Amino acid sequence: MNRRNFIQKSALSGGAISLGGALAFGANPAAQPTHEFGLRYAPHLGMFKAHAGEDPVAQLRFMAEQGFRAFEDNGMAGRSVAEQERMARAMSDLNMSMGVFVAHTIYWKEPNLASGDPARQEEFLQEIKAAIAVAKRVGAKWMTVVPGHTDPRLAMGYQTANVIDSLKKASAILEPHGLVMVLEPLNFYNHPGLFLTGSPQAYEICKAVNSPSCKILFDIYHQQIQEGNLIPNMERCWDEIAYIQIGDNPGRNEPTTGEINYKNIFRFLHQKGYSGILGMEHGNSNPGKEGESAVINAYKEVDIRK
């Protein structure tokens, strides 16, 4: 699944408010979940809309009823303040944690941070400042940052220096608020030409920025395609990883539909004492209620309990 389409689809899936959906799942926000997962898996809007309807709050309630204790939304910054506040109240009532949202404009086809262009850097920093209000409104700690496209006119060393400079300035903005931007390397196959691709590169940049507000988002789907060797690479980067996302390969669907041994990966995360969020940034392999139930069952199958 193309990430740009994925983000757009996720954002659009929560746009309409359905009174029927809200009533269907609004009777008892504090109801006991039907299952208890060992890790904090975070679905996104649209993943369970065949069961819950279009209303974002109804979808959140359905997630909580299934035992999911977290939620992520790439498009949260683009929602109205009223909708953000409504979703935040629902998450609080349901005792759910907010995962990542995308903090800024992602340049998929042209360089921005890698170029060293002062105007592009200033645009990025202003968007990071705006993201602080969103994060506080919805109770988010992490926000996704993708440094954009490479600049073919510059050697990689110069591009890296430009990106580090922008991230240092963004970190200085975020640190007083205790917020963290998580850098997401994206794979070469779905997103050719982007600056940030691999976990060693992200690790090097985070070490250079040297801030608690600049860490790695390790997307297992992307890194299976980009570099493989998943568990050893996570081990190498561990002190800079703040957030993890999930998707099987091929297909970018739920675990058990591809080649990745998620049971072993989740066992590794338990051994490392990971208590953070794991974003379910993938599609459903099958449509409708049956496909949604298959997603829930897949997580029950691969989940590891302490």
Side-chain angles (χ1 to χ4, degrees):
M1 183 181 295
N2 180 277
R3 180 183 173 88
R4 187 187 314 181
N5 293 338
F6 183 89
I7 292 173
Q8 292 171 343
K9 183 177 179 181
S10 298
L12 290 172
S13 67
I17 302 298
S18 166
L19 182 60
L23 293 175
F25 292 91
N28 185 9
Q32 291 297 311
T34 59
H35 181 80
E36 184 178 348
F37 289 104
L39 291 166
R40 289 200 292 165
Y41 308 112
H44 56 82
L45 293 184
M47 184 164 271
F48 301 121
K49 66 179 180 180
H51 278 93
E54 295 287 347
D55 178 30
V57 169
Q59 292 185 45
L60 288 169
R61 288 174 181 153
F62 180 82
M63 294 171 193
E65 288 171 3
Q66 306 313 306
F68 295 108
R69 295 178 288 142
F71 161 76
E72 69 175 19
D73 182 16
N74 284 329
M76 181 63 84
R79 302 185 188 281
S80 69
V81 170
E83 187 168 38
Q84 290 172 7
E85 291 176 341
R86 179 171 176 261
M87 293 171 70
R89 287 193 298 270
M91 284 186 281
S92 177
D93 290 342
L94 296 165
N95 197 27
M96 296 179 74
S97 301
M98 178 66 197
V100 292
F101 65 95
V102 175
H104 66 108
T105 301
I106 300 176
Y107 280 75
W108 300 102
K109 298 295 183 183
E110 58 183 298
N112 60 322
L113 299 189
S115 70
D117 182 341
R120 296 296 195 199
Q121 183 187 81
E122 183 59 25
E123 176 190 59
F124 170 69
L125 296 176
Q126 290 302 319
E127 290 180 330
I128 291 296
K129 290 178 182 177
I132 292 171
V134 177
K136 292 186 175 182
R137 197 174 292 129
V138 300
K141 180 177 181 178
W142 307 276
M143 57 186 73
T144 303
V145 166
V146 176
H149 206 272
T150 55
D151 189 336
R153 301 164 300 178
L154 294 177
M156 183 55 74
Y158 295 127
Q159 295 184 64
T160 301
N162 291 336
V163 169
I164 290 170
D165 179 60
S166 290
L167 297 178
K168 282 185 174 181
K169 291 175 180 176
S171 294
I173 293 169
L174 294 171
E175 283 178 14
H177 303 277
L179 300 175
V180 183
M181 58 181 171
V182 283
L183 311 182
E184 183 176 12
L186 303 179
N187 77 76
F188 72 94
Y189 182 79
N190 295 120
H191 306 290
L194 291 192
F195 170 81
L196 186 61
T197 57
S199 59
Q201 181 190 15
Y203 186 75
E204 178 183 26
I205 289 170
C206 286
K207 287 298 183 186
V209 175
N210 191 28
S211 168
S213 288
C214 183
K215 297 295 180 182
I216 297 172
L217 190 171
F218 194 102
D219 188 310
I220 295 168
Y221 165 77
H222 284 299
Q223 294 318 305
Q224 172 69 357
I225 295 172
Q226 183 68 31
E227 60 195 20
N229 204 29
L230 291 168
I231 290 175
N233 278 321
M234 293 176 78
E235 181 74 69
R236 291 274 188 181
C237 292
W238 190 253
D239 62 318
E240 295 293 344
I241 293 174
Y243 198 94
I244 296 169
Q245 287 182 328
I246 301 164
D248 216 335
N249 180 63
R252 201 175 188 180
N253 291 314
E254 68 269 17
T256 75
T257 59
E259 65 188 358
I260 302 175
N261 189 333
Y262 269 103
K263 184 166 284 190
N264 277 353
I265 289 174
F266 294 154
R267 183 176 292 111
F268 165 78
L269 295 178
H270 268 305
Q271 291 169 349
K272 297 296 290 185
Y274 183 74
S275 59
I277 291 175
L278 294 104
M280 297 160 59
E281 199 188 35
H282 57 73
N284 300 356
S285 59
N286 290 296
K289 289 186 176 181
E290 289 188 4
E292 294 175 3
S293 295
V295 170
I296 296 168
N297 290 333
Y299 278 89
K300 290 179 180 178
E301 179 179 340
V302 299
D303 184 49
I304 298 292
R305 301 291 299 279
K306 290 184 179 178

PDB file of all heavy atoms in Angstrom, residues 267-297:
ATOM      1  N   ARG A 267       7.929 -11.284  21.079  1.00  0.00           N
ATOM      2  CA  ARG A 267       8.664 -11.908  22.192  1.00  0.00           C
ATOM      3  C   ARG A 267       9.927 -11.091  22.493  1.00  0.00           C
ATOM      4  O   ARG A 267      10.261 -10.844  23.658  1.00  0.00           O
ATOM      5  CB  ARG A 267       9.023 -13.345  21.843  1.00  0.00           C
ATOM      6  CG  ARG A 267       9.733 -14.094  22.986  1.00  0.00           C
ATOM      7  CD  ARG A 267       9.992 -15.544  22.630  1.00  0.00           C
ATOM      8  NE  ARG A 267       8.746 -16.297  22.546  1.00  0.00           N
ATOM      9  CZ  ARG A 267       8.229 -16.789  21.420  1.00  0.00           C
ATOM     10  NH1 ARG A 267       8.854 -16.594  20.263  1.00  0.00           N
ATOM     11  NH2 ARG A 267       7.098 -17.455  21.431  1.00  0.00           N
ATOM     12  N   PHE A 268      10.620 -10.660  21.444  1.00  0.00           N
ATOM     13  CA  PHE A 268      11.801  -9.817  21.619  1.00  0.00           C
ATOM     14  C   PHE A 268      11.434  -8.524  22.334  1.00  0.00           C
ATOM     15  O   PHE A 268      12.149  -8.080  23.250  1.00  0.00           O
ATOM     16  CB  PHE A 268      12.425  -9.518  20.256  1.00  0.00           C
ATOM     17  CG  PHE A 268      13.413  -8.381  20.247  1.00  0.00           C
ATOM     18  CD1 PHE A 268      14.704  -8.550  20.722  1.00  0.00           C
ATOM     19  CD2 PHE A 268      13.049  -7.127  19.758  1.00  0.00           C
ATOM     20  CE1 PHE A 268      15.619  -7.500  20.721  1.00  0.00           C
ATOM     21  CE2 PHE A 268      13.944  -6.076  19.749  1.00  0.00           C
ATOM     22  CZ  PHE A 268      15.233  -6.260  20.237  1.00  0.00           C
ATOM     23  N   LEU A 269      10.319  -7.901  21.954  1.00  0.00           N
ATOM     24  CA  LEU A 269       9.914  -6.647  22.583  1.00  0.00           C
ATOM     25  C   LEU A 269       9.603  -6.845  24.057  1.00  0.00           C
ATOM     26  O   LEU A 269       9.925  -5.995  24.890  1.00  0.00           O
ATOM     27  CB  LEU A 269       8.709  -6.054  21.847  1.00  0.00           C
ATOM     28  CG  LEU A 269       8.966  -5.609  20.404  1.00  0.00           C
ATOM     29  CD1 LEU A 269       7.684  -5.087  19.773  1.00  0.00           C
ATOM     30  CD2 LEU A 269      10.060  -4.567  20.327  1.00  0.00           C
ATOM     31  N   HIS A 270       8.978  -7.967  24.409  1.00  0.00           N
ATOM     32  CA  HIS A 270       8.734  -8.260  25.819  1.00  0.00           C
ATOM     33  C   HIS A 270      10.052  -8.416  26.577  1.00  0.00           C
ATOM     34  O   HIS A 270      10.219  -7.906  27.686  1.00  0.00           O
ATOM     35  CB  HIS A 270       7.901  -9.531  25.955  1.00  0.00           C
ATOM     36  CG  HIS A 270       6.429  -9.283  26.010  1.00  0.00           C
ATOM     37  ND1 HIS A 270       5.848  -8.434  26.925  1.00  0.00           N
ATOM     38  CD2 HIS A 270       5.419  -9.768  25.259  1.00  0.00           C
ATOM     39  CE1 HIS A 270       4.540  -8.414  26.733  1.00  0.00           C
ATOM     40  NE2 HIS A 270       4.254  -9.213  25.731  1.00  0.00           N
ATOM     41  N   GLN A 271      10.990  -9.114  25.950  1.00  0.00           N
ATOM     42  CA  GLN A 271      12.281  -9.317  26.603  1.00  0.00           C
ATOM     43  C   GLN A 271      13.008  -7.997  26.819  1.00  0.00           C
ATOM     44  O   GLN A 271      13.739  -7.837  27.807  1.00  0.00           O
ATOM     45  CB  GLN A 271      13.140 -10.277  25.774  1.00  0.00           C
ATOM     46  CG  GLN A 271      12.618 -11.708  25.758  1.00  0.00           C
ATOM     47  CD  GLN A 271      13.319 -12.587  24.737  1.00  0.00           C
ATOM     48  OE1 GLN A 271      14.070 -12.104  23.873  1.00  0.00           O
ATOM     49  NE2 GLN A 271      13.072 -13.876  24.800  1.00  0.00           N
ATOM     50  N   LYS A 272      12.805  -7.047  25.916  1.00  0.00           N
ATOM     51  CA  LYS A 272      13.429  -5.732  26.056  1.00  0.00           C
ATOM     52  C   LYS A 272      12.670  -4.838  27.037  1.00  0.00           C
ATOM     53  O   LYS A 272      13.126  -3.736  27.360  1.00  0.00           O
ATOM     54  CB  LYS A 272      13.507  -5.028  24.704  1.00  0.00           C
ATOM     55  CG  LYS A 272      14.384  -5.733  23.668  1.00  0.00           C
ATOM     56  CD  LYS A 272      15.838  -5.780  24.082  1.00  0.00           C
ATOM     57  CE  LYS A 272      16.504  -4.438  24.052  1.00  0.00           C
ATOM     58  NZ  LYS A 272      17.958  -4.513  24.351  1.00  0.00           N
ATOM     59  N   GLY A 273      11.512  -5.286  27.480  1.00  0.00           N
ATOM     60  CA  GLY A 273      10.718  -4.477  28.392  1.00  0.00           C
ATOM     61  C   GLY A 273       9.989  -3.335  27.716  1.00  0.00           C
ATOM     62  O   GLY A 273       9.681  -2.322  28.363  1.00  0.00           O
ATOM     63  N   TYR A 274       9.680  -3.478  26.445  1.00  0.00           N
ATOM     64  CA  TYR A 274       9.017  -2.404  25.711  1.00  0.00           C
ATOM     65  C   TYR A 274       7.592  -2.208  26.237  1.00  0.00           C
ATOM     66  O   TYR A 274       6.795  -3.147  26.260  1.00  0.00           O
ATOM     67  CB  TYR A 274       8.978  -2.730  24.220  1.00  0.00           C
ATOM     68  CG  TYR A 274       8.372  -1.640  23.368  1.00  0.00           C
ATOM     69  CD1 TYR A 274       9.070  -0.468  23.114  1.00  0.00           C
ATOM     70  CD2 TYR A 274       7.106  -1.786  22.806  1.00  0.00           C
ATOM     71  CE1 TYR A 274       8.523   0.537  22.321  1.00  0.00           C
ATOM     72  CE2 TYR A 274       6.548  -0.787  22.019  1.00  0.00           C
ATOM     73  CZ  TYR A 274       7.266   0.366  21.781  1.00  0.00           C
ATOM     74  OH  TYR A 274       6.718   1.360  21.003  1.00  0.00           O
ATOM     75  N   SER A 275       7.284  -1.002  26.637  1.00  0.00           N
ATOM     76  CA  SER A 275       5.957  -0.682  27.153  1.00  0.00           C
ATOM     77  C   SER A 275       5.268   0.387  26.310  1.00  0.00           C
ATOM     78  O   SER A 275       4.221   0.917  26.706  1.00  0.00           O
ATOM     79  CB  SER A 275       6.043  -0.205  28.604  1.00  0.00           C
ATOM     80  OG  SER A 275       6.871   0.955  28.714  1.00  0.00           O
ATOM     81  N   GLY A 276       5.861   0.710  25.172  1.00  0.00           N
ATOM     82  CA  GLY A 276       5.306   1.751  24.315  1.00  0.00           C
ATOM     83  C   GLY A 276       4.194   1.249  23.425  1.00  0.00           C
ATOM     84  O   GLY A 276       3.658   0.154  23.599  1.00  0.00           O
ATOM     85  N   ILE A 277       3.858   2.058  22.441  1.00  0.00           N
ATOM     86  CA  ILE A 277       2.752   1.773  21.532  1.00  0.00           C
ATOM     87  C   ILE A 277       3.281   1.118  20.264  1.00  0.00           C
ATOM     88  O   ILE A 277       4.375   1.427  19.788  1.00  0.00           O
ATOM     89  CB  ILE A 277       1.993   3.074  21.209  1.00  0.00           C
ATOM     90  CG1 ILE A 277       1.253   3.554  22.463  1.00  0.00           C
ATOM     91  CG2 ILE A 277       1.018   2.892  20.053  1.00  0.00           C
ATOM     92  CD1 ILE A 277       0.568   4.886  22.302  1.00  0.00           C
ATOM     93  N   LEU A 278       2.487   0.204  19.720  1.00  0.00           N
ATOM     94  CA  LEU A 278       2.783  -0.420  18.429  1.00  0.00           C
ATOM     95  C   LEU A 278       1.655  -0.065  17.468  1.00  0.00           C
ATOM     96  O   LEU A 278       0.544  -0.608  17.555  1.00  0.00           O
ATOM     97  CB  LEU A 278       2.918  -1.937  18.563  1.00  0.00           C
ATOM     98  CG  LEU A 278       4.106  -2.406  19.387  1.00  0.00           C
ATOM     99  CD1 LEU A 278       3.639  -2.876  20.768  1.00  0.00           C
ATOM    100  CD2 LEU A 278       4.841  -3.542  18.695  1.00  0.00           C
ATOM    101  N   GLY A 279       1.931   0.861  16.576  1.00  0.00           N
ATOM    102  CA  GLY A 279       0.905   1.320  15.653  1.00  0.00           C
ATOM    103  C   GLY A 279       0.592   0.290  14.583  1.00  0.00           C
ATOM    104  O   GLY A 279       1.486  -0.227  13.923  1.00  0.00           O
ATOM    105  N   MET A 280      -0.680   0.019  14.403  1.00  0.00           N
ATOM    106  CA  MET A 280      -1.137  -0.946  13.393  1.00  0.00           C
ATOM    107  C   MET A 280      -1.299  -0.212  12.061  1.00  0.00           C
ATOM    108  O   MET A 280      -2.408  -0.041  11.555  1.00  0.00           O
ATOM    109  CB  MET A 280      -2.428  -1.591  13.868  1.00  0.00           C
ATOM    110  CG  MET A 280      -2.259  -2.395  15.141  1.00  0.00           C
ATOM    111  SD  MET A 280      -3.779  -2.724  16.077  1.00  0.00           S
ATOM    112  CE  MET A 280      -4.790  -3.597  14.886  1.00  0.00           C
ATOM    113  N   GLU A 281      -0.183   0.211  11.488  1.00  0.00           N
ATOM    114  CA  GLU A 281      -0.246   1.011  10.260  1.00  0.00           C
ATOM    115  C   GLU A 281      -0.248   0.085   9.038  1.00  0.00           C
ATOM    116  O   GLU A 281       0.723   0.012   8.282  1.00  0.00           O
ATOM    117  CB  GLU A 281       0.892   2.030  10.182  1.00  0.00           C
ATOM    118  CG  GLU A 281       0.547   3.116   9.176  1.00  0.00           C
ATOM    119  CD  GLU A 281       1.695   4.070   8.888  1.00  0.00           C
ATOM    120  OE1 GLU A 281       2.848   3.641   8.868  1.00  0.00           O
ATOM    121  OE2 GLU A 281       1.399   5.251   8.671  1.00  0.00           O
ATOM    122  N   HIS A 282      -1.358  -0.584   8.885  1.00  0.00           N
ATOM    123  CA  HIS A 282      -1.506  -1.509   7.762  1.00  0.00           C
ATOM    124  C   HIS A 282      -2.970  -1.590   7.373  1.00  0.00           C
ATOM    125  O   HIS A 282      -3.853  -1.088   8.078  1.00  0.00           O
ATOM    126  CB  HIS A 282      -0.982  -2.901   8.148  1.00  0.00           C
ATOM    127  CG  HIS A 282      -1.634  -3.505   9.350  1.00  0.00           C
ATOM    128  ND1 HIS A 282      -2.922  -4.003   9.336  1.00  0.00           N
ATOM    129  CD2 HIS A 282      -1.189  -3.678  10.624  1.00  0.00           C
ATOM    130  CE1 HIS A 282      -3.233  -4.476  10.526  1.00  0.00           C
ATOM    131  NE2 HIS A 282      -2.207  -4.279  11.338  1.00  0.00           N
ATOM    132  N   GLY A 283      -3.230  -2.220   6.247  1.00  0.00           N
ATOM    133  CA  GLY A 283      -4.598  -2.446   5.821  1.00  0.00           C
ATOM    134  C   GLY A 283      -5.131  -3.760   6.342  1.00  0.00           C
ATOM    135  O   GLY A 283      -4.456  -4.504   7.057  1.00  0.00           O
ATOM    136  N   ASN A 284      -6.378  -4.051   5.977  1.00  0.00           N
ATOM    137  CA  ASN A 284      -6.995  -5.337   6.273  1.00  0.00           C
ATOM    138  C   ASN A 284      -6.892  -6.208   5.029  1.00  0.00           C
ATOM    139  O   ASN A 284      -7.206  -5.756   3.925  1.00  0.00           O
ATOM    140  CB  ASN A 284      -8.458  -5.165   6.660  1.00  0.00           C
ATOM    141  CG  ASN A 284      -8.646  -4.295   7.888  1.00  0.00           C
ATOM    142  OD1 ASN A 284      -7.674  -3.864   8.514  1.00  0.00           O
ATOM    143  ND2 ASN A 284      -9.888  -4.020   8.240  1.00  0.00           N
ATOM    144  N   SER A 285      -6.489  -7.450   5.189  1.00  0.00           N
ATOM    145  CA  SER A 285      -6.285  -8.314   4.023  1.00  0.00           C
ATOM    146  C   SER A 285      -7.595  -8.668   3.333  1.00  0.00           C
ATOM    147  O   SER A 285      -7.607  -8.987   2.146  1.00  0.00           O
ATOM    148  CB  SER A 285      -5.545  -9.588   4.425  1.00  0.00           C
ATOM    149  OG  SER A 285      -6.270 -10.306   5.406  1.00  0.00           O
ATOM    150  N   ASN A 286      -8.709  -8.589   4.085  1.00  0.00           N
ATOM    151  CA  ASN A 286     -10.023  -8.883   3.509  1.00  0.00           C
ATOM    152  C   ASN A 286     -11.012  -7.812   3.943  1.00  0.00           C
ATOM    153  O   ASN A 286     -10.872  -7.228   5.026  1.00  0.00           O
ATOM    154  CB  ASN A 286     -10.508 -10.267   3.959  1.00  0.00           C
ATOM    155  CG  ASN A 286      -9.687 -11.378   3.331  1.00  0.00           C
ATOM    156  OD1 ASN A 286      -9.684 -11.557   2.112  1.00  0.00           O
ATOM    157  ND2 ASN A 286      -8.971 -12.123   4.153  1.00  0.00           N
ATOM    158  N   PRO A 287     -12.043  -7.546   3.121  1.00  0.00           N
ATOM    159  CA  PRO A 287     -12.985  -6.470   3.434  1.00  0.00           C
ATOM    160  C   PRO A 287     -14.056  -6.902   4.426  1.00  0.00           C
ATOM    161  O   PRO A 287     -14.200  -8.081   4.763  1.00  0.00           O
ATOM    162  CB  PRO A 287     -13.605  -6.176   2.060  1.00  0.00           C
ATOM    163  CG  PRO A 287     -13.574  -7.500   1.352  1.00  0.00           C
ATOM    164  CD  PRO A 287     -12.299  -8.158   1.809  1.00  0.00           C
ATOM    165  N   GLY A 288     -14.816  -5.907   4.878  1.00  0.00           N
ATOM    166  CA  GLY A 288     -16.016  -6.166   5.657  1.00  0.00           C
ATOM    167  C   GLY A 288     -15.746  -6.665   7.057  1.00  0.00           C
ATOM    168  O   GLY A 288     -14.615  -6.664   7.553  1.00  0.00           O
ATOM    169  N   LYS A 289     -16.830  -7.098   7.704  1.00  0.00           N
ATOM    170  CA  LYS A 289     -16.724  -7.553   9.086  1.00  0.00           C
ATOM    171  C   LYS A 289     -15.821  -8.777   9.219  1.00  0.00           C
ATOM    172  O   LYS A 289     -15.078  -8.908  10.190  1.00  0.00           O
ATOM    173  CB  LYS A 289     -18.108  -7.865   9.637  1.00  0.00           C
ATOM    174  CG  LYS A 289     -18.963  -6.640   9.892  1.00  0.00           C
ATOM    175  CD  LYS A 289     -20.273  -6.999  10.575  1.00  0.00           C
ATOM    176  CE  LYS A 289     -21.079  -5.758  10.917  1.00  0.00           C
ATOM    177  NZ  LYS A 289     -22.361  -6.089  11.604  1.00  0.00           N
ATOM    178  N   GLU A 290     -15.871  -9.665   8.257  1.00  0.00           N
ATOM    179  CA  GLU A 290     -15.015 -10.849   8.336  1.00  0.00           C
ATOM    180  C   GLU A 290     -13.546 -10.465   8.299  1.00  0.00           C
ATOM    181  O   GLU A 290     -12.728 -11.015   9.042  1.00  0.00           O
ATOM    182  CB  GLU A 290     -15.353 -11.818   7.194  1.00  0.00           C
ATOM    183  CG  GLU A 290     -16.696 -12.512   7.350  1.00  0.00           C
ATOM    184  CD  GLU A 290     -16.907 -13.602   6.303  1.00  0.00           C
ATOM    185  OE1 GLU A 290     -15.964 -13.866   5.514  1.00  0.00           O
ATOM    186  OE2 GLU A 290     -18.010 -14.164   6.266  1.00  0.00           O
ATOM    187  N   GLY A 291     -13.193  -9.510   7.434  1.00  0.00           N
ATOM    188  CA  GLY A 291     -11.812  -9.047   7.372  1.00  0.00           C
ATOM    189  C   GLY A 291     -11.384  -8.364   8.649  1.00  0.00           C
ATOM    190  O   GLY A 291     -10.247  -8.532   9.113  1.00  0.00           O
ATOM    191  N   GLU A 292     -12.292  -7.586   9.260  1.00  0.00           N
ATOM    192  CA  GLU A 292     -11.964  -6.910  10.510  1.00  0.00           C
ATOM    193  C   GLU A 292     -11.781  -7.912  11.655  1.00  0.00           C
ATOM    194  O   GLU A 292     -10.875  -7.784  12.474  1.00  0.00           O
ATOM    195  CB  GLU A 292     -13.067  -5.906  10.847  1.00  0.00           C
ATOM    196  CG  GLU A 292     -13.138  -4.757   9.847  1.00  0.00           C
ATOM    197  CD  GLU A 292     -14.284  -3.805  10.085  1.00  0.00           C
ATOM    198  OE1 GLU A 292     -15.021  -3.973  11.071  1.00  0.00           O
ATOM    199  OE2 GLU A 292     -14.440  -2.869   9.284  1.00  0.00           O
ATOM    200  N   SER A 293     -12.655  -8.917  11.683  1.00  0.00           N
ATOM    201  CA  SER A 293     -12.503  -9.959  12.702  1.00  0.00           C
ATOM    202  C   SER A 293     -11.198 -10.713  12.513  1.00  0.00           C
ATOM    203  O   SER A 293     -10.542 -11.107  13.495  1.00  0.00           O
ATOM    204  CB  SER A 293     -13.686 -10.922  12.640  1.00  0.00           C
ATOM    205  OG  SER A 293     -14.892 -10.260  12.987  1.00  0.00           O
ATOM    206  N   ALA A 294     -10.789 -10.894  11.253  1.00  0.00           N
ATOM    207  CA  ALA A 294      -9.523 -11.583  10.980  1.00  0.00           C
ATOM    208  C   ALA A 294      -8.341 -10.788  11.522  1.00  0.00           C
ATOM    209  O   ALA A 294      -7.357 -11.364  12.007  1.00  0.00           O
ATOM    210  CB  ALA A 294      -9.369 -11.825   9.482  1.00  0.00           C
ATOM    211  N   VAL A 295      -8.408  -9.448  11.438  1.00  0.00           N
ATOM    212  CA  VAL A 295      -7.345  -8.607  11.993  1.00  0.00           C
ATOM    213  C   VAL A 295      -7.251  -8.818  13.502  1.00  0.00           C
ATOM    214  O   VAL A 295      -6.156  -9.027  14.053  1.00  0.00           O
ATOM    215  CB  VAL A 295      -7.595  -7.119  11.669  1.00  0.00           C
ATOM    216  CG1 VAL A 295      -6.630  -6.226  12.441  1.00  0.00           C
ATOM    217  CG2 VAL A 295      -7.449  -6.874  10.170  1.00  0.00           C
ATOM    218  N   ILE A 296      -8.380  -8.756  14.184  1.00  0.00           N
ATOM    219  CA  ILE A 296      -8.390  -8.941  15.641  1.00  0.00           C
ATOM    220  C   ILE A 296      -7.837 -10.312  16.007  1.00  0.00           C
ATOM    221  O   ILE A 296      -7.007 -10.449  16.915  1.00  0.00           O
ATOM    222  CB  ILE A 296      -9.826  -8.762  16.184  1.00  0.00           C
ATOM    223  CG1 ILE A 296     -10.296  -7.331  15.934  1.00  0.00           C
ATOM    224  CG2 ILE A 296      -9.881  -9.103  17.668  1.00  0.00           C
ATOM    225  CD1 ILE A 296     -11.785  -7.121  16.152  1.00  0.00           C
ATOM    226  N   ASN A 297      -8.278 -11.337  15.299  1.00  0.00           N
ATOM    227  CA  ASN A 297      -7.818 -12.702  15.594  1.00  0.00           C
ATOM    228  C   ASN A 297      -6.333 -12.882  15.308  1.00  0.00           C
ATOM    229  O   ASN A 297      -5.646 -13.636  16.000  1.00  0.00           O
ATOM    230  CB  ASN A 297      -8.648 -13.713  14.810  1.00  0.00           C
ATOM    231  CG  ASN A 297     -10.073 -13.819  15.327  1.00  0.00           C
ATOM    232  OD1 ASN A 297     -10.337 -13.556  16.502  1.00  0.00           O
ATOM    233  ND2 ASN A 297     -11.002 -14.166  14.452  1.00  0.00           N
TER     234      ASN A 297
END
